[in-house]
Amino acid sequence: MARAVILPSQTSTQTLLFAIPRIPLTIWKLPFMSRQVLCKCSSAQAAPAAAVVDMAKYKEAFARRMAMAGLKPHHRLAIGVSGGPDSMALCVLSAHWKAQDFSEKCDNGGFIDGLLAIIVDHGLRPESKEEANTVSNRVSKMGIRSCIACCDWPDGHPKQGHLQEAARDMRYEMFQNICIQNRIGVLLIAHHADDQAELFVLRLSRNSSVLGLAGMPFTSQIFSTHTHSCTEVSRNHGILVVRPLLDLVKEDMYKICEGSNQVWVEDPTNQSQLYARNRIRLFLKDSTCAFRSELQAVIAACRKMRRYVDHICSNLISQAVTFTDLGYAVIDLEILNQSEIEDICMTKFIALVLKFISQRNRPIRGSTSKLLLNYVRTLPCKTSFTAAGCYISPAPGSRGMKALVCVSVDSPLPLKMGLSRLHFQVEQEHSTPDEIEQIISDSKSCADSLVPNKSDVHFLEGNPESILTGARKLGMISESTHTNILLLHQEEIKNFKSSKVAADYKSEHGVKSASTSRSEQLQPGQICCFMDRFFVVWNLSEEDTDDATSEEANLDGVLEAESRYCCCRSCGFGHDTVVEVRNMIEPDWLYLANLSKCQTSENFQEQRHSLDNGLEQTEEKTNKCLDYARLSAQRALVSLRSIPLAARRGLPVLVNGEGLLLSIPSIGFKHCPRLATSATFKPKVPLGGGHTSFI
């Protein structure tokens, strides 16, 4: 896990925006090749020196895109900055957009209020610290406050084979951490249309569907894998990522930097043929304008298709799925099959439901996808099976007209998806929740107005090659463009198949199962995120913690004298009790059934000894809580009967160090009236992965 060290930028005298003096050309030596800081005249791709850059055009286009994202100049924003022409251009446009009335929108340090540049020092080269400081100074002179996040690699630097992927994951983790620490909910990224073209060809070679070929979304949300509060379950709004430059190309980045007298960094490692993106980038760089323009037309068609599919899936979820606060879902197959839904929409819909229930972010492909599609298409459903981290079966009492979807606790999960502990270094929520909700609401309104009709979309079916063929028949691309894309596609397929990077990455990072034996100790008042689905907490109260029945109230009177102590002396349960959290197993509800039948303390004591394999506990210490536990078990069994058997296994339970069941918070069972427990179903990643827009 990476850790960030924040280095505040140096306070500098504010200079006039877009009138920044030129910085002399410098050379940074790398161990394997040189890295050169280029000014506008040293780049072969830069606009001619005599050309006049129409900055007003770019500023107006940027303002329109920000409005489409639901953003206004007063919103707090962060920018991911590397120092290259793309991120420097984004800084230029963002600074102008945020500070149009420059004199009234600066903080005490002379920086534009509510704008932060995040510079990630990956620490992979000796020169990286100096380079990060240089970039920080440059954005500071634009009036943008900056901070440097220094990455730490406890397990050593990533291998060369998957260096780019590991660095990207680390970078976005740093972005999230810095945004949360600075109470910022929106992150701007400088991806542009040429990046989309690279991704299109890359995914084409990976046999991606039309949904994947739509590329990067205009807006999306990323969610932290950590919990940033140790005292309460806060709303996880994630970080809203906005890419406002997707309508521009690389050449525009250079023009924007030139028009504002900016310098930037060109990294020669981008010329390396080792990485697929670099090979594709160099190919596109040498291609004709017509080729690039036609390629963008195909991408636009795929994005339109993606908007249509996402809209259909949203409607299906609201009409045909019931999600419970116990962590499972029921799909109404009759409603689902009343209208003719395209396979691509149905497949996407199923994937969204399963990913939400399992909290796995893996794509569902191939035979698994076909199996799921056939299952929901068949009425009535009769079989049960495990797929994509979920257990799917006919819903009880539905005669096969509804399908139950619950988490499969024995399915392989990524390492980070098991029972995870909280991180205590951050005690505050990022940004204002209501503000983020309003931004997303405004963005959705704009996106909903641009949803196409079915007659306006193409590529509802087919593999990548058929999509290209369809584009040629529709006149989107010429014969020569079609041929060149196929050649590039086939070449990258060869490179992909011969590469061992994916295998190396999987073997190093691996997966493990969330088996029934997994548990972790939990201290009183500490929140545990169980399987990324439930927030679990326990404590010992001085007063009764729930609404008691009349019989339980009488028992509470007996225990009233104990309330002033830090533990319940009736059963010996206290703050020093070792509590573990695990998922529910079959012996738990058998235990409840036997406990509910015990009519006397003596009978219960005998039953408890038999159930707990000879656990020794004197009757003197337990008698006062036994009747309460019996009544609590009876009440819990009533709730348990309404929960499908398969879904029970995903519920969190609290046990002591010897394995004795203490509480099942989701159904209200607990052994002691002084024990306060809760389990809130709050998946870390919301349904559909949060707000996403492909406009």
Side-chain angles (χ1 to χ4, degrees):
M1 186 66 64
R3 295 187 292 271
V5 178
I6 311 306
L7 304 179
S9 60
Q10 298 177 356
T11 304
S12 57
T13 303
Q14 178 62 53
T15 58
L16 185 63
L17 194 63
F18 307 134
I20 300 172
R22 297 182 183 276
I23 299 176
L25 183 71
T26 60
I27 302 293
W28 291 334
K29 296 293 183 180
L30 303 182
F32 46 90
M33 62 176 64
S34 64
R35 176 169 176 162
Q36 190 174 6
V37 180
L38 302 178
C39 65
K40 64 181 182 181
C41 58
S42 59
S43 171
Q45 296 189 42
V52 178
V53 179
D54 185 2
M55 289 297 297
K57 175 186 67 174
Y58 292 118
K59 294 172 187 176
E60 291 172 4
F62 183 81
R64 286 195 301 269
R65 293 296 281 182
M66 295 293 276
M68 293 173 72
L71 295 173
K72 297 178 175 59
H74 69 269
H75 289 142
R76 293 171 57 80
L77 310 175
I79 311 173
V81 180
S82 66
D86 308 346
S87 61
M88 294 302 288
L90 181 58
C91 285
V92 168
L93 296 176
S94 299
H96 178 270
W97 178 78
K98 281 281 289 182
Q100 298 177 46
D101 186 0
F102 192 76
S103 61
E104 297 181 8
K105 293 190 177 181
C106 294
D107 59 19
N108 294 332
F111 296 104
I112 300 171
D113 190 29
L115 189 60
L116 176 69
I118 304 176
I119 303 162
V120 177
D121 175 11
H122 295 90
L124 299 176
R125 294 176 289 103
E127 300 85 358
S128 62
K129 181 178 180 180
E130 179 184 352
E131 295 170 4
N133 288 331
T134 300
V135 174
S136 177
N137 290 333
R138 289 173 182 166
V139 298
S140 295
K141 291 178 181 179
M142 275 193 271
I144 302 175
R145 184 180 298 277
S146 65
C147 69
I148 299 173
C150 300
C151 300
D152 182 23
W153 304 86
D155 299 326
H157 291 172
K159 297 178 181 179
Q160 186 69 23
H162 56 265
L163 179 63
Q164 286 188 329
E165 181 178 3
R168 180 193 179 280
D169 291 343
M170 179 79 79
R171 185 162 57 251
Y172 275 86
E173 183 179 332
M174 296 297 100
F175 287 157
Q176 291 182 71
N177 292 342
I178 303 305
C179 284
I180 291 171
Q181 292 176 20
N182 287 274
R183 301 178 63 82
I184 294 175
V186 181
L187 172 68
L188 304 185
I189 299 295
H191 290 132
H192 49 74
D194 287 356
D195 294 321
Q196 290 281 48
E198 295 169 14
L199 185 59
F200 177 88
V201 177
L202 185 65
R203 290 184 174 176
L204 201 68
S205 66
R206 305 310 192 250
N207 203 35
S208 177
S209 70
V210 63
L211 301 180
L213 296 179
M216 293 173 283
F218 168 53
T219 59
S220 59
Q221 286 178 279
I222 54 177
F223 296 88
S224 176
T225 57
H226 311 313
T227 302
H228 297 277
S229 172
C230 62
T231 57
E232 62 180 353
V233 179
S234 58
R235 288 182 289 177
N236 185 8
H237 293 273
I239 304 298
L240 180 66
V241 177
V242 180
R243 298 175 174 89
L245 305 182
L246 288 180
D247 287 344
L248 305 179
V249 297
K250 186 74 171 184
E251 184 179 355
D252 293 317
M253 305 299 108
Y254 290 112
K255 289 181 178 179
I256 292 168
C257 289
E258 176 186 312
S260 55
N261 292 328
Q262 289 299 316
V263 292
W264 62 86
V265 171
E266 288 283 5
D267 189 349
T269 59
N270 288 336
Q271 306 297 318
S272 171
Q273 297 286 321
L274 177 63
Y275 303 107
R277 275 189 174 274
N278 291 351
R279 294 191 297 268
I280 296 169
R281 183 181 300 119
L282 294 175
F283 177 90
L284 295 175
K285 177 183 175 182
D286 295 334
S287 61
T288 64
C289 291
F291 176 88
R292 293 195 295 270
S293 177
E294 291 176 2
L295 184 59
Q296 291 296 335
V298 178
I299 296 173
C302 292
R303 294 177 72 80
K304 181 185 287 188
M305 177 64 195
R306 178 66 186 260
R307 295 199 298 272
Y308 170 79
V309 172
D310 287 349
H311 179 70
I312 296 297
C313 290
S314 178
N315 290 339
L316 289 176
I317 288 173
S318 63
Q319 296 168 8
V321 188
T322 301
F323 295 97
T324 73
D325 57 4
L326 295 174
Y328 66 92
V330 177
I331 302 176
D332 192 320
L333 301 182
E334 284 188 292
I335 295 178
L336 206 59
N337 287 279
Q338 283 178 354
S339 57
E340 294 184 1
I341 303 296
E342 297 85 358
D343 284 354
I344 189 172
C345 297
M346 191 71 82
T347 300
K348 175 70 173 178
F349 158 79
I350 300 168
L352 290 175
V353 174
L354 267 61
K355 286 182 179 181
F356 175 67
I357 295 298
S358 68
Q359 285 293 291
R360 300 194 336 171
N361 194 32
R362 296 181 183 177
I364 303 175
R365 300 191 180 106
S367 59
T368 301
S369 180
K370 293 179 181 178
L371 175 66
L372 291 166
L373 181 61
N374 291 335
Y375 189 83
V376 299
R377 293 283 197 195
T378 304
L379 285 177
C381 61
K382 299 180 180 180
T383 60
S384 303
F385 62 98
T386 300
C390 292
Y391 179 79
I392 302 99
S393 66
S398 70
R399 298 182 179 180
M401 294 295 133
K402 296 181 179 180
L404 171 71
V405 181
C406 56
V407 68
S408 174
V409 296
D410 295 320
S411 293
L413 298 174
L415 288 174
K416 66 180 180 181
M417 299 297 284
L419 186 148
S420 56
R421 298 305 298 269
L422 303 184
H423 286 225
F424 301 104
Q425 69 271 25
V426 184
E427 298 282 343
Q428 59 187 10
E429 288 189 9
H430 68 273
S431 193
T432 304
D434 293 339
E435 180 179 89
I436 298 300
E437 288 179 355
Q438 186 60 52
I439 292 172
I440 292 176
S441 176
D442 293 343
S443 178
K444 284 182 177 178
S445 297
C446 181
D448 290 344
S449 67
L450 298 175
V451 174
N453 297 320
K454 181 179 178 179
S455 58
D456 296 328
V457 299
H458 310 288
F459 317 138
L460 280 169
E461 298 178 356
N463 55 37
E465 292 189 11
S466 66
I467 290 173
L468 293 177
T469 301
R472 179 174 56 80
K473 291 180 178 179
L474 291 169
M476 292 183 186
I477 58 176
S478 63
E479 186 67 38
S480 62
T481 297
H482 176 256
T483 301
N484 288 332
I485 294 178
L486 283 179
L487 290 175
L488 181 58
H489 168 219
Q490 293 166 0
E491 182 64 27
E492 282 306 315
I493 287 178
K494 294 178 182 178
N495 292 326
F496 178 66
K497 289 182 177 179
S498 62
S499 174
K500 302 299 182 182
V501 172
D504 291 341
Y505 187 80
K506 289 180 180 179
S507 63
E508 178 176 338
H509 291 268
V511 296
K512 60 182 178 182
S513 173
S515 65
T516 57
S517 62
R518 294 185 61 194
S519 64
E520 188 165 333
Q521 293 184 4
L522 186 63
Q523 301 299 320
Q526 186 182 31
I527 301 174
C528 166
C529 185
F530 180 70
M531 292 180 66
D532 283 353
R533 303 169 75 247
F534 286 94
F535 283 84
V536 182
V537 63
W538 76 273
N539 219 322
L540 198 63
S541 173
E542 292 186 354
E543 298 180 357
D544 302 330
T545 57
D546 61 354
D547 296 330
T549 65
S550 59
E551 188 174 357
E552 288 168 333
N554 292 332
L555 291 172
D556 294 340
V558 176
L559 296 169
E560 183 177 357
E562 307 292 341
S563 63
R564 63 180 177 273
Y565 296 101
C566 65
C567 68
C568 178
R569 293 194 291 183
S570 298
C571 63
F573 192 89
H575 287 293
D576 58 346
T577 301
V578 176
V579 174
E580 297 181 353
V581 185
R582 60 163 172 79
N583 61 282
M584 194 173 186
I585 55 179
E586 185 174 359
D588 293 333
W589 57 79
L590 294 177
Y591 179 86
L592 292 179
N594 288 320
L595 173 57
S596 68
K597 297 174 184 177
C598 294
Q599 298 302 317
T600 66
S601 297
E602 291 78 7
N603 291 340
F604 171 75
Q605 187 68 19
E606 294 177 2
Q607 187 65 51
R608 179 171 177 174
H609 276 294
S610 64
L611 289 172
D612 299 333
N613 299 319
L615 176 65
E616 295 183 359
Q617 183 104 22
T618 63
E619 186 175 351
E620 179 183 358
K621 294 181 67 177
T622 58
N623 282 347
K624 293 183 180 180
C625 282
L626 297 186
D627 288 335
Y628 179 91
R630 173 177 57 83
L631 294 172
S632 182
Q634 292 174 355
R635 186 170 54 177
L637 283 172
V638 174
S639 300
L640 198 60
R641 291 188 186 102
S642 66
I643 304 174
L645 185 64
R648 298 176 189 176
R649 299 189 68 203
L651 298 179
V653 303
L654 278 66
V655 298
N656 66 12
E658 291 78 18
L660 172 66
L661 182 63
L662 299 176
S663 174
I664 308 176
S666 301
I667 58 174
F669 170 74
K670 56 184 182 178
H671 254 292
C672 176
R674 301 292 182 252
L675 178 62
T677 63
S678 68
T680 306
F681 179 63
K682 187 175 180 58
K684 286 192 174 180
V685 180
L687 182 62
H691 170 60
T692 302
S693 161
F694 283 81
I695 56 178

Coordinates of all heavy atoms in Angstrom, one line a residue, residues 46 50 74 159 176 203 212 231 335 360 373 425 428 469-470 510 521 523 531 550 610 614 637 670:
A46 N 4.7 21.5 -31.9 CA 4.1 22.8 -31.5 C 3.7 23.6 -32.7 O 4.2 23.4 -33.8 CB 5.2 23.5 -30.6
A50 N 5.0 31.9 -35.4 CA 4.4 33.1 -35.9 C 2.8 33.0 -35.7 O 2.1 34.0 -35.9 CB 4.7 33.4 -37.3
H74 N -17.1 28.3 -8.3 CA -16.9 28.4 -6.8 C -16.6 27.0 -6.2 O -16.3 26.9 -5.1 CB -18.1 29.0 -6.1 CG -19.3 28.2 -6.2 ND1 -20.3 28.3 -7.2 CD2 -19.8 27.2 -5.4 CE1 -21.2 27.4 -7.0 NE2 -21.0 26.7 -5.9
K159 N 7.9 -4.2 -11.1 CA 8.7 -4.7 -12.2 C 8.4 -3.9 -13.5 O 7.4 -3.4 -13.7 CB 8.5 -6.2 -12.4 CG 8.8 -7.1 -11.2 CD 8.5 -8.5 -11.5 CE 8.9 -9.4 -10.2 NZ 8.5 -10.8 -10.5
Q176 N -6.7 10.4 -4.6 CA -7.8 10.2 -3.7 C -7.4 10.7 -2.3 O -8.2 11.4 -1.6 CB -8.3 8.7 -3.7 CG -8.9 8.2 -4.9 CD -9.4 6.8 -4.8 OE1 -10.3 6.5 -4.1 NE2 -8.7 5.9 -5.5
R203 N -7.9 -1.4 -26.7 CA -9.0 -2.3 -26.3 C -9.5 -3.1 -27.5 O -10.0 -4.2 -27.4 CB -10.2 -1.5 -25.8 CG -9.8 -0.9 -24.4 CD -11.0 -0.2 -23.8 NE -10.7 0.2 -22.4 CZ -11.5 1.0 -21.6 NH1 -12.7 1.4 -22.1 NH2 -11.1 1.3 -20.4
G212 N -16.6 -1.1 -24.2 CA -15.2 -0.8 -23.8 C -14.6 0.1 -24.8 O -13.8 0.9 -24.5
T231 N -15.0 6.7 13.8 CA -16.0 6.9 14.8 C -17.4 6.8 14.3 O -18.4 6.6 15.0 CB -15.8 8.2 15.5 OG1 -15.9 9.3 14.6 CG2 -14.5 8.3 16.3
I335 N -40.8 -9.2 -15.2 CA -40.7 -7.8 -15.7 C -39.5 -7.7 -16.6 O -39.6 -7.0 -17.7 CB -40.5 -6.9 -14.5 CG1 -41.7 -6.9 -13.6 CG2 -40.1 -5.5 -14.9 CD1 -41.6 -6.0 -12.3
R360 N -17.0 -6.8 -6.4 CA -15.8 -7.1 -7.2 C -15.9 -6.2 -8.5 O -16.9 -6.1 -9.1 CB -15.8 -8.6 -7.6 CG -15.8 -9.5 -6.5 CD -15.5 -11.0 -6.8 NE -15.7 -11.4 -8.2 CZ -15.3 -12.5 -8.7 NH1 -14.6 -13.4 -7.9 NH2 -15.6 -12.9 -9.9
L373 N -26.7 -14.7 -19.0 CA -27.7 -14.2 -19.9 C -28.8 -15.3 -20.2 O -30.0 -15.0 -20.2 CB -27.1 -13.8 -21.2 CG -28.0 -13.2 -22.3 CD1 -28.7 -12.0 -21.9 CD2 -27.2 -13.0 -23.6
Q425 N -5.8 7.7 10.0 CA -5.1 8.9 9.9 C -5.9 10.1 9.4 O -5.6 11.2 9.5 CB -3.9 8.8 8.9 CG -4.2 8.5 7.5 CD -4.4 7.1 7.2 OE1 -4.8 6.3 8.0 NE2 -4.3 6.7 5.9
Q428 N -11.9 13.3 8.6 CA -12.9 14.1 8.1 C -13.3 13.7 6.7 O -12.6 13.0 6.0 CB -12.3 15.6 8.0 CG -11.1 15.7 7.1 CD -10.5 17.0 7.1 OE1 -10.8 17.9 7.9 NE2 -9.5 17.3 6.2
T469 N -16.2 -3.2 -39.7 CA -16.8 -3.4 -41.0 C -18.1 -2.6 -41.0 O -18.5 -2.0 -42.1 CB -17.1 -4.9 -41.1 OG1 -15.9 -5.6 -41.1 CG2 -17.8 -5.2 -42.5
G470 N -18.9 -2.6 -39.9 CA -20.1 -1.8 -39.9 C -19.9 -0.3 -40.1 O -20.6 0.4 -40.8
G510 N -2.2 -12.0 -7.1 CA -3.0 -13.1 -6.7 C -4.4 -12.8 -6.2 O -4.9 -11.7 -6.2
Q521 N -10.1 -9.4 14.8 CA -10.5 -8.8 16.1 C -11.0 -7.3 15.9 O -10.4 -6.6 15.1 CB -9.3 -8.9 17.1 CG -9.0 -10.3 17.5 CD -7.9 -10.3 18.5 OE1 -7.4 -9.3 19.0 NE2 -7.4 -11.5 18.9
Q523 N -12.0 -3.9 18.2 CA -12.1 -3.2 19.5 C -13.4 -2.4 19.6 O -14.0 -2.0 18.7 CB -10.9 -2.2 19.6 CG -9.5 -2.9 19.4 CD -9.3 -3.9 20.5 OE1 -9.6 -3.7 21.7 NE2 -8.7 -5.0 20.1
M531 N -15.9 -7.3 4.3 CA -16.0 -7.7 2.9 C -16.4 -6.6 2.0 O -17.1 -6.8 1.0 CB -17.0 -8.9 2.8 CG -16.5 -10.2 3.4 SD -17.6 -11.6 3.2 CE -17.6 -11.8 1.4
S550 N -41.9 -6.6 27.0 CA -42.2 -6.5 28.5 C -41.4 -7.5 29.3 O -41.0 -7.2 30.4 CB -43.7 -6.8 28.6 OG -44.1 -8.0 28.1
S610 N -22.7 -27.9 25.5 CA -22.7 -28.9 24.3 C -22.4 -28.2 23.0 O -21.7 -28.7 22.2 CB -24.0 -29.6 24.2 OG -25.0 -28.7 23.9
G614 N -17.6 -27.6 25.4 CA -17.0 -27.7 26.7 C -16.5 -26.4 27.2 O -15.7 -26.3 28.1
L637 N -34.8 -15.3 15.4 CA -35.3 -16.4 14.5 C -36.4 -15.9 13.6 O -36.6 -16.4 12.5 CB -35.6 -17.6 15.3 CG -34.4 -18.4 15.8 CD1 -34.9 -19.5 16.8 CD2 -33.7 -19.0 14.7
K670 N -28.4 -10.5 20.3 CA -27.2 -10.3 21.1 C -27.4 -11.0 22.4 O -28.6 -11.2 22.9 CB -27.0 -8.8 21.3 CG -28.2 -8.1 21.9 CD -27.9 -6.6 22.0 CE -29.0 -5.8 22.7 NZ -28.8 -4.4 22.8

